[in-house]
Amino acid sequence: MAASTAHRVRIIGGRFRGRVIRFPKGAQLRPTPDRVRETLFNWLGQDLTGQRTLDLFAGSGALSLEALSRGAVLAVAVDRDPSLVAALTQTARGFGATGLEAHAADARAWLASERRRFDAIFLDPPFGDDPWPWLLPACEARLAGGGFIYAEAPRELAPPPPLAVHRRSKAGQVHYHLLRREDPCP
């Protein structure tokens, strides 16, 4: 993808640190800012060696590629825009990243058929949507023991039990949360 026709985000940590993620112009994306990604991965402990992640509204794929950069063995990225999924796949290939599984699909439909559990689930849906009533319970069901759900929203979220806010912060108009199950995983 030519630099003149692409938006860019850079990887901020791990083995791909400094590498650039390019995604198509025209995509209505709001990539997670560097400072917020840095905070998120500090909260997660920087090293995701052996972990499995899910990014349901992948967009640029920055969170999935950050996870792979920091040692995740699997990063599943789902976005309904096939051009974004193709760009993400191409970028991962260019980085030499292994472990990316990318799907062009509706997040709700994809999640309804998924049975695997994930150590970290990243949720950054379009701010015009309000998927939280169905999304958080559906993701809680896919969360591995000791795992976290990261959620970005235009407002502060109050997760349903058994999820609880582990950490939260705000950057500009973005409220971001790290959620964890209050009780042990069944």
Side-chain angles (χ1 to χ4, degrees), residues 43-101:
W43 288 349
L44 292 175
Q46 297 291 336
D47 183 5
L48 301 183
T49 299
Q51 293 191 18
R52 299 159 50 105
T53 67
L54 171 62
D55 187 355
L56 273 180
F57 303 88
S60 70
L63 294 176
S64 291
L65 291 172
E66 285 282 357
L68 291 172
S69 182
R70 296 159 190 268
V73 68
L74 175 68
V76 178
V78 179
D79 198 279
R80 64 180 164 206
D81 184 336
S83 68
L84 290 173
V85 172
L88 172 56
T89 301
Q90 180 181 354
T91 299
R93 198 174 308 126
F95 286 5
T98 57
L100 178 69
E101 181 184 306

